[in-house]
Amino acid sequence: MYELIYKIKSIKVEDNKIQNSHSTIRTPIIVGTTLVVGILIGATFFGGRRVGGDISRSSTKYKEILTYISRSYVDSVNTDSLVDYSITKMLEKLDPHTYYFPPQEADIARSQLESGFDGIGIEFNVFNDTLYVVTPLSGGPSEAVGIQSGDAIIKANNNKLTGKDANSTNIFANLRGKRGTEVKLEVKRRGFKGLLTFSVLRDKIPQYSIDAAYLMEDKKTAYIKINRFTETTYEEFKQHMAILQKEGMKQLLLDLRGNPGGYMDRATDIVDELVGGKDVIVYTDGKDTRNNRKTFAGNDGMFEKGAIVVLVDEGSASASEIVSGALQDYDRALIVGRRTFGKGLVQQPIQLSDGSELRLTISRYYIPSGRSIQKPYEKGHLENYEHELDERGKSGEFFIADSIKNNPKMRFKTKGGRVVYGGGGVTPDIFVPRDTSHITKYLLELYGKNILREFALNYANTNRKTLEKQSFTVFLKSFNITESMLETVKGMANTSEIKFNNDEYLRSKEFIKLQIKANIARHIWQRNMKNGLNNEFYQIMYGQDPIVTTAIKQFSKAEKLEKDKKL
């Protein structure tokens, strides 16, 4: 899901001095979408409008047809499902970001961007059609009653959670629920005969949007990874930045890879912490002028001076593109990685009477240079848009920088005069190809059946007392995955009917070892954290990551850019 959500706050609406001509900025931009939807612009724009005569006649006709179907059609029909289907097909004639959520899906979509959800407070893993507790969340209701890492939850309120019932929909339906309500869990625990019973009182479970925030080995580079822009992202960012600055950070590596977006104002608030001046960060333009907004910088930011490198890839979309694109347009950060997704449309959420939700595209957004990063699409023919990333792969764009085809008509300039392009994502300043050398069918099957995570969980639980006696620094430098451990992994894979392929295994071996070590560290050290960080996991995984290692070498160039605003 790619989302860009815009919650309205006080925003000054005034002209902004940019380096591109007014006519260039207003050049019609071909726009598109992502897998789900975008910017929430406030829910007041549609109130009190008259419905046109054509719309009234069409809705009357639609209601008549539904009435005849319900009353006279030869078979029984669920008219609610017909309505949902017809709405979905109707919206396909518009743009790919306008989207309809039925009531249950609407609740899930909203919860992904809220500060938390109501549930029992566990991270889980499904292995061999069984739901295992990876860890009870610190301070949560499951931890309070004694649920442990490695427990297998067999039933919840007498409803099975194993076999074909061990699917996400069923799991969420049974474990999430209104805070204060009780759920009875039947649990299988290693070393105990029969099932253990626990009564868990559901509560508010916090969600965090920053996965990692730590000083790297040089003790001056702060690494921060944001997974999406939720209600709490800006506050999380400020808290972690304050700690890192006290620890001595001098430069920032901001990782937005795979970040699908979220609340627009959280993204612009973060940009404002990193740029000086009072110029525009983002503005929107639509048919209805009431949907037009400009957001300006102006706060005394936490890190307005100091080199910044931003990591992006084809999974970075919406709010991520506002952050990376605005920092690029300001000549404030060096962008490293691959071209971003390309999502530049604005959606408004409209909650319907039955709890369902319509997210309707009402405008386009533009970053400081005046460019839209929205990639092309054709109304009513969204198939090509949905497969656009596949086409990038076929063209070689993920591996060769010269394969990126920027539209020469969408040529803009940054504040410092560098050439940038609109109409299809943010093109990085430094390209880093995908590393697929370790990807094999054998590795993907290990992932698909959760073998690596399950082995790491078992190993961590079995050796917890020994591992906890050492510091993470010692573990990072001295702990090695042995051949004996790998043989156990291969045995688990064989039991799960994964056919062994020696050539593929050897290609993936070092990455398998890295994954196991990172997950063991996560199970040992992250369980005591109350801020959602997985620092130990990422310190291990990204120690050899090509984009990270490339980015670190670019800080001298980022520092020069920050000083003279030119590469």
Side-chain angles (χ1 to χ4, degrees):
M1 280 172 50
Y2 294 100
E3 300 171 291
L4 185 53
I5 313 297
Y6 187 6
K7 282 191 170 181
I8 293 217
K9 56 181 183 180
S10 65
I11 301 172
K12 290 189 293 183
V13 181
E14 55 187 62
D15 292 334
N16 178 56
K17 295 180 180 179
I18 53 181
Q19 297 187 5
N20 301 292
S21 69
H22 187 77
S23 61
T24 300
I25 295 168
R26 294 291 182 172
T27 299
I29 305 296
I30 302 176
V31 288
T33 83
T34 55
L35 301 180
V36 180
V37 271
I39 309 176
L40 303 187
I41 292 272
T44 61
F45 302 135
F46 287 84
R49 297 188 189 178
R50 292 184 179 179
V51 178
D54 289 343
I55 295 176
S56 180
R57 285 192 295 273
S58 297
S59 62
T60 299
K61 178 169 61 178
Y62 183 69
K63 184 178 180 181
E64 285 180 317
I65 292 173
L66 274 178
T67 301
Y68 280 117
I69 290 172
S70 176
R71 185 175 61 199
S72 303
Y73 184 68
V74 62
D75 297 320
S76 297
V77 173
N78 184 331
T79 53
D80 287 342
S81 65
L82 283 180
V83 170
D84 285 352
Y85 178 78
S86 61
I87 291 172
T88 300
K89 300 304 288 185
M90 174 180 64
L91 299 183
E92 288 177 2
K93 295 296 183 182
L94 304 178
D95 66 276
H97 286 297
T98 294
Y99 201 83
Y100 168 76
F101 291 99
Q104 186 175 3
E105 292 182 24
D107 289 339
I108 295 173
R110 284 190 292 268
S111 72
Q112 291 178 340
L113 293 171
E114 293 172 351
S115 59
F117 59 90
D118 295 347
I120 67 169
I122 62 166
E123 181 183 342
F124 67 87
N125 182 38
V126 176
F127 176 70
N128 285 343
D129 295 327
T130 303
L131 188 162
Y132 288 97
V133 177
V134 172
T135 185
L137 300 183
S138 180
S142 288
E143 183 187 58
V145 300
I147 298 293
Q148 296 180 7
S149 176
D151 284 348
I153 300 179
I154 308 302
K155 289 184 178 181
N157 288 337
N158 293 319
N159 297 316
K160 285 180 57 181
L161 297 179
T162 58
K164 63 181 178 61
D165 297 309
N167 59 77
S168 296
T169 301
N170 191 46
I171 291 169
F172 285 135
N174 282 281
L175 300 186
R176 287 191 178 185
K178 188 176 181 180
R179 74 188 69 177
T181 58
E182 190 175 62
V183 56
K184 179 181 176 183
L185 303 180
E186 295 181 47
V187 170
K188 176 64 179 174
R189 179 173 294 171
R190 292 182 179 90
F192 288 81
K193 292 183 179 180
L195 299 178
L196 305 177
T197 301
F198 296 89
S199 292
V200 183
L201 204 64
R202 296 183 180 97
D203 202 352
K204 176 77 175 284
I205 309 301
Q207 292 193 107
Y208 300 98
S209 59
I210 294 184
D211 288 331
Y214 58 85
L215 278 188
M216 302 186 79
E217 195 172 358
D218 63 7
K219 300 303 179 185
K220 68 176 182 179
T221 304
Y223 172 83
I224 296 181
K225 180 176 179 59
I226 305 177
N227 62 53
R228 66 172 56 237
F229 292 89
T230 69
E231 286 183 340
T232 61
T233 303
Y234 179 49
E235 291 303 319
E236 290 178 55
F237 181 79
K238 289 195 296 181
Q239 290 168 10
H240 295 313
M241 282 289 289
I243 293 171
L244 292 166
Q245 287 177 322
K246 287 181 180 179
E247 293 177 349
M249 72 165 282
K250 303 297 181 185
Q251 53 195 30
L252 173 63
L253 182 58
L254 181 61
D255 194 343
L256 300 180
R257 289 176 295 171
N259 184 321
Y263 288 124
M264 183 176 177
D265 60 352
R266 306 313 194 265
T268 55
D269 284 342
I270 288 176
V271 172
D272 200 5
E273 293 294 337
L274 304 176
V275 300
K278 297 183 179 180
D279 285 336
V280 73
I281 294 173
V282 68
Y283 64 93
T284 62
D285 183 46
K287 180 173 64 178
D288 188 336
T289 57
R290 289 176 293 179
N291 298 334
N292 299 344
R293 296 289 185 273
K294 286 186 178 181
T295 302
F296 292 87
N299 291 335
D300 292 330
M302 300 180 73
F303 194 66
E304 292 184 355
K305 293 184 179 180
I308 301 175
V309 175
V310 179
L311 307 184
V312 297
D313 63 11
E314 56 280 356
S316 308
S318 298
S320 301
E321 294 173 298
I322 288 178
V323 173
S324 56
L327 292 176
Q328 187 181 52
D329 283 354
Y330 267 91
D331 295 296
R332 181 66 186 91
L334 196 70
I335 312 301
V336 174
R338 295 184 293 277
R339 183 163 65 103
T340 62
F341 185 88
K343 196 277 184 194
L345 295 179
V346 179
Q347 280 71 48
Q348 175 183 346
I350 305 167
Q351 190 162 347
L352 305 178
S353 58
D354 64 346
S356 58
E357 185 171 284
L358 171 65
R359 293 187 181 177
L360 182 68
T361 297
I362 57 173
S363 61
R364 303 180 178 107
Y365 73 83
Y366 300 83
I367 51 180
S369 62
R371 57 178 167 151
S372 164
I373 49 77
Q374 178 62 50
K375 61 187 178 183
Y377 73 95
E378 183 181 357
K379 289 182 180 178
H381 299 280
L382 306 182
E383 306 82 13
N384 293 337
Y385 188 87
E386 293 172 355
H387 298 291
E388 191 266 346
L389 291 183
D390 295 334
E391 293 304 314
R392 290 194 202 181
K394 292 176 183 178
S395 72
E397 180 180 321
F398 297 145
F399 305 98
I400 304 171
D402 290 343
S403 296
I404 299 175
K405 305 300 182 186
N406 287 310
N407 187 343
K409 295 181 180 180
M410 299 287 182
R411 193 172 184 268
F412 297 82
K413 287 187 177 181
T414 67
K415 300 289 184 183
R418 294 187 298 138
V419 174
V420 289
Y421 292 91
V426 176
T427 299
D429 302 306
I430 306 295
F431 175 81
V432 182
R434 270 187 184 177
D435 177 17
T436 59
S437 59
H438 60 282
I439 303 297
T440 63
K441 181 182 177 184
Y442 186 71
L443 176 65
L444 295 177
E445 289 182 330
L446 292 178
Y447 274 139
K449 296 197 174 181
N450 289 320
I451 302 296
L452 302 182
R453 288 187 67 184
E454 185 64 16
F455 172 82
L457 173 63
N458 293 340
Y459 186 91
N461 286 336
T462 302
N463 298 277
R464 183 172 299 279
K465 290 183 179 179
T466 300
L467 292 169
E468 286 180 340
K469 289 179 181 179
Q470 59 185 297
S471 67
F472 171 71
T473 302
V474 171
F475 177 89
L476 178 64
K477 294 181 177 179
S478 64
F479 184 84
N480 295 308
I481 305 300
T482 66
E483 290 298 322
S484 175
M485 295 165 70
L486 292 173
E487 287 300 317
T488 302
V489 170
K490 288 191 281 187
M492 292 172 65
N494 184 61
T495 301
S496 296
E497 299 181 345
I498 298 175
K499 186 178 180 180
F500 181 74
N501 182 302
N502 191 60
D503 290 340
E504 293 183 356
Y505 168 73
L506 293 176
R507 267 185 62 191
S508 302
K509 183 177 179 180
E510 291 306 312
F511 187 79
I512 290 171
K513 291 165 66 175
L514 200 65
Q515 275 280 324
I516 293 172
K517 183 175 179 177
N519 275 295
I520 291 173
R522 183 167 175 261
H523 294 314
I524 296 300
W525 282 280
Q526 189 246 342
R527 70 195 306 264
N528 296 319
M529 300 296 290
K530 296 183 182 297
N531 55 11
L533 297 181
N534 289 297
N535 287 345
E536 292 78 17
F537 177 88
Y538 288 102
Q539 283 178 265
I540 294 173
M541 285 304 302
Y542 287 169
Q544 303 174 33
D545 182 275
I547 294 185
V548 173
T549 54
T550 299
I552 292 172
K553 297 175 183 177
Q554 302 300 322
F555 268 105
S556 59
K557 191 175 289 187
E559 187 175 2
K560 185 176 187 298
L561 176 68
E562 193 271 329
K563 287 181 178 179
D564 61 17
K565 302 301 182 186
K566 289 186 180 180
L567 283 172

